[in-house]
Amino acid sequence: MLAYIIRRVVQSALVLLIVGLAAFSMFRFVGDPIENMLGQERTTVDIERLRDQLGLDEPFIVQYVKFLEGAVQGNFGVSYRQGRPVSDILVERAPATLELATVSCVLAIAFGIAFGVFTAIRRDGFLANFIMSTSLIGVSLPTFLIGILLIYIFSVELGWLPSFGRGETVQIGNWSTGFLTASGLKALILPSITLGLYQMTLIMRLVRSEMLEVLRQDYIRFARARGLKNRTINFRHALKNTMVPVITVIGLQLGSIIAFAIITETVFQWPGVGLLFINAVQFVDIPVMAAYLMLISVMFVAINLIVDILYFFIDPRLRVDRAGGH
Amino acid sequence: MKTTSALTLAAVLLATTAPLNAETLRWARSGDALTLDPHAQNEGPTHTIRHQMYEPLIIRDISGAFEAALATDWAPKADDPNIWVFNLREGVTFHDGAAFTAEDVVFSFERAKQPNSDMKELIGSITEVRAVGDFSVEIVTDGPNPILPSNLTNLFIMDKDWTEANNTVDVQDFEGGELTFATTNVNGTGPYVLQSREPDVKTVMVRNDAYWGIDQFPMEVTEIIYTPIQNAATRVAAMLSGEIDFLQDMPVQDLERVNAVDGLIVKQAPQNRVIFFGMNQGADDLESDNIDGANPLADVRVRQAMSMAINRDAIRQVVMRGQSEPAGMIAPPFVNGWTAEMDAESSTDVEAAKALLAEAGYADGFSIRLDCPNDRYVNDEGICQAAVGMLGQIGITVNLDAKPKAQHFPLISGGQTDFYMLGWGVPTYDSEYVFNFLVHSRESEIGTWNATGFSDADLDLMIQSLASNTDLEARNADIATIWRTVQDEQLYIPIHHQVLNWGMSERVGIEVDPEDQPKIKYFTMN
């Protein structure tokens, strides 16, 4: 058991190292940050001085090792574009992304489950069919198009909601929150719908098919035969059993919501880490790109690790396998 | 009836003389200032934000002419051409109430010459700045410098005491990630005071009611909210939905759409930037062409033929949707040395181009790679694509290689390109700046953007002598001679002058600044 966990942790660390190495070697193809950093009056001397100062003339393996050394100590270097420590910038930007991801997640789960249950129970109803077919549009349209469409309808044409930014924020310690102001809450609506739409459709379809599966089971038929109310059958008996696989998927989707926030944040000028990353790519801000990619891979690796370990506890067959039972 | 109109008139008069209403200007563009330290970075959007809060000795007005800011007048010293005397404005205070004196000017120039400063190149010729009295300074240069004032329009003045009290005498080490007090705090003499700043998110400035020019300029905007919006579609949407009053970096394809909306207008002016192609004429053989052992671009007839093949009007109409002015020389009209005749020296004549090419021995043409940026200038890649077709008409096969600016510009500074696109602005409004970077032979400190391999020792000497030639007539004659050579040699192929578009609500009154540096103190609000 302990050996299994240790092995998984070591594997995860190895994955991180490889992801970092791949990312770092790719940075060389993004371009040269020097030209972006110096004004047009720069001289050849300036270029050489800066390249030397940033260590950009060293082989990328050396740069990577230096990055790892710093990263282990929580030091991700200095942003080439903003001239500030990357860790400061990340701390500053994280609340925006986390709040957006949380709201999107809550929306996706609430509406996903509600619509899923509804379309399963009323599988032939007009409204259920309507929801099912509109959800197809939600899945097939790219995120940026949905974002622009929402901006066009709700900001430009109707003028109800802001087209960009976070609105007013309130600072609580290191955390800036948009939850406490009216403009902050309004600003959350469009981006969270854009970001959560795909996940919502996914959850809805999953809930619907699981629910249909469960509703066909014998114990539901017996429950009906016993004369239980439909509401009790659907929500107490059926939904509960539907939720087991759904919860697993939701857990995994949380990671991708944070990672996919890049596009939504760019469309809505949402000042989170995704927008930071896009800015960094355009400016060849290597320290920011490296830190962001490492953070995202740490997140995914951690989620997978936790899920694996949880399976180990939940599913006894895994343990039997390890003991060489078969 | 009469009393009401009299009352209205009184109200209008009151409103115009002393704007009491709070007027907020919501302003957006694609990027944010990199830092607030006045001397740490030399970059357009960064200067633009600083200009609202800090002031240099001299600024430029919308026509490009000098306007007195912290200096009231300036002239070379009568008996010594190496010295410029600047008389300073009296009664000016910094945002914290401290008085502005010559001491602050001396201090700021010394600060701007520090190694970490990005402004040091612009004032490299200055050897000493000394105060002569409380409101007069002498700037000593290492030889006469007739265009010194041109280099000072973005050199901001800080308060010596404030800077010392807050331990921020050293310029921020931007590349080293240093954060200093001056990076995030501002104490200038300018018309607006910093209220809050979140880098890349929002910067708020409020009117400085103690500003020396409060009665001289409209100063109708009481609060500025500056938000960078990176995505072009979102930027336009924010303008259309009325969340923004003033927009820079308008996408060309949305101009008509914005103009068509009630209450919104787009104003245009030629920008201080020429787009052109450079050609490697100095190499013996080119890597990216199909001719062995010779360099077709070394022949001036080939370069002329290429220029003649390019239909600038077609590029203007099709690629730029009318948003450009065809160019014949690589300097914008307001630059000293520009002439209408030279700017018109670019006509399209495909037959003559073919004949010239044949005369040069390339009747069958040749093939070459064109390096082009795709995220730097307005429709840069589209211009290159158009050029590919036009050069194809005279038998030159062009392989287009378009990439992001972060990959394109290193090719130019590393001399790894034979045929490339570049754009150039002239912040000093004098041709010397163009020659220093684009015409002078490439050396470590000069000619740094000249990737053509062109080198002419006599011309180099003439360019160097411009810096200290105080006889303006003779100097202008030299400038004309140098331009003549550049034109006759077809050193570059000029394409067009970029046009600048500012989108604004009809409430906002302002004309477009060719430097793309709006100064909000000139704005009116209805």
Side-chain angles (χ1 to χ4, degrees), chain A residues 115-143:
Chain A
F115 286 157
V117 171
F118 181 79
T119 49
I121 298 172
R122 301 273 158 79
R123 58 181 303 187
D124 294 321
F126 169 76
L127 198 58
N129 278 327
F130 177 75
I131 292 175
M132 283 304 284
S133 34
T134 24
S135 81
L136 268 181
I137 302 174
V139 187
S140 44
L141 280 185
T143 312

Side-chain angles (χ1 to χ4, degrees), chain A residues 28-33 35-47 49-51 53-54 78-85 88 92-93 144 148 151-152 155-157 159 161-169 171 176 263 265-269 271 275-276 278-284, chain B residues 28 30-32 34-35 41-43 115-116 118 120-122 172-179 183 198-202 227-231 233-234 236-241 243-244 257 273 375 404-407 409-410 412-414 423-427 433 437 442-446 448-449:
Chain A
R28 297 195 303 164
F29 301 107
V30 182
D32 188 347
E35 294 286 349
N36 287 331
M37 296 174 75
L38 296 169
Q40 69 177 16
E41 279 101 7
R42 92 280 185 283
T43 63
T44 322
V45 181
D46 291 330
I47 294 178
R49 175 185 55 85
L50 191 55
R51 183 160 286 143
Q53 189 182 339
L54 299 176
V78 172
S79 160
Y80 292 169
R81 196 174 78 85
Q82 294 196 29
R84 300 192 296 149
D88 289 6
E92 202 176 276
R93 294 299 196 91
F144 74 88
I148 292 288
I151 289 179
Y152 181 74
S155 306
V156 177
E157 289 300 317
L161 296 168
S163 57
F164 74 96
R166 271 185 96 186
E168 296 284 324
T169 54
Q171 199 74 25
S176 67
I263 299 164
E265 288 186 8
T266 315
V267 172
F268 289 94
Q269 191 68 23
L275 186 64
L276 179 73
I278 286 291
N279 275 321
V281 171
Q282 281 168 354
F283 200 85
V284 199
Chain B
S30 63
D32 197 8
L34 298 171
T35 168
Q41 289 276 300
N42 180 12
E43 193 235 12
N116 282 338
D118 244 22
K120 61 180 183 295
E121 282 92 0
L122 282 169
Q172 172 199 11
D173 176 10
F174 187 85
E175 288 82 19
E178 191 190 19
L179 290 180
T183 317
E198 294 167 75
D200 276 348
V201 181
K202 190 161 88 171
T227 33
I229 305 178
Q230 193 182 348
N231 186 298
T234 313
V236 174
M239 174 112 251
L240 294 174
S241 64
E243 289 164 81
I244 293 298
R257 174 139 172 62
R273 171 156 286 140
D375 61 350
K405 58 177 188 283
Q407 298 173 15
F409 287 121
I412 298 178
S413 41
W424 201 253
V426 191
Y433 186 89
F437 288 98
R442 188 173 233 177
E443 285 165 23
S444 67
E445 300 270 347
I446 197 167
T448 46
W449 284 94

Side-chain angles (χ1 to χ4, degrees), chain B residues 172-223:
Chain B
Q172 172 199 11
D173 176 10
F174 187 85
E175 288 82 19
E178 191 190 19
L179 290 180
T180 67
F181 192 74
T183 317
T184 43
N185 293 275
V186 173
N187 181 34
T189 56
Y192 290 89
V193 180
L194 182 68
Q195 193 179 57
S196 71
R197 172 159 170 86
E198 294 167 75
D200 276 348
V201 181
K202 190 161 88 171
T203 303
V204 182
M205 293 165 268
V206 292
R207 187 170 67 190
N208 172 13
D209 286 322
Y211 183 55
W212 58 265
I214 190 111
D215 299 324
Q216 292 177 33
F217 303 99
M219 297 276 293
E220 288 181 13
V221 174
T222 50
E223 183 190 37

Side-chain angles (χ1 to χ4, degrees), chain A residues 15 25-26 47 49 53 64 68 89 91 98 109 113 136 141 143 156 160 173 205 217 223 262 270 278 280 292 310 317:
Chain A
V15 167
S25 51
M26 278 193 316
I47 294 178
R49 175 185 55 85
Q53 189 182 339
Y64 178 52
L68 283 183
I89 302 176
V91 168
L98 290 176
I109 294 169
I113 293 177
L136 268 181
L141 280 185
T143 312
V156 177
W160 291 350
R205 293 185 161 254
Q217 303 279 325
I262 292 180
W270 191 263
I278 286 291
Y292 177 82
L310 281 180
R317 284 170 297 177

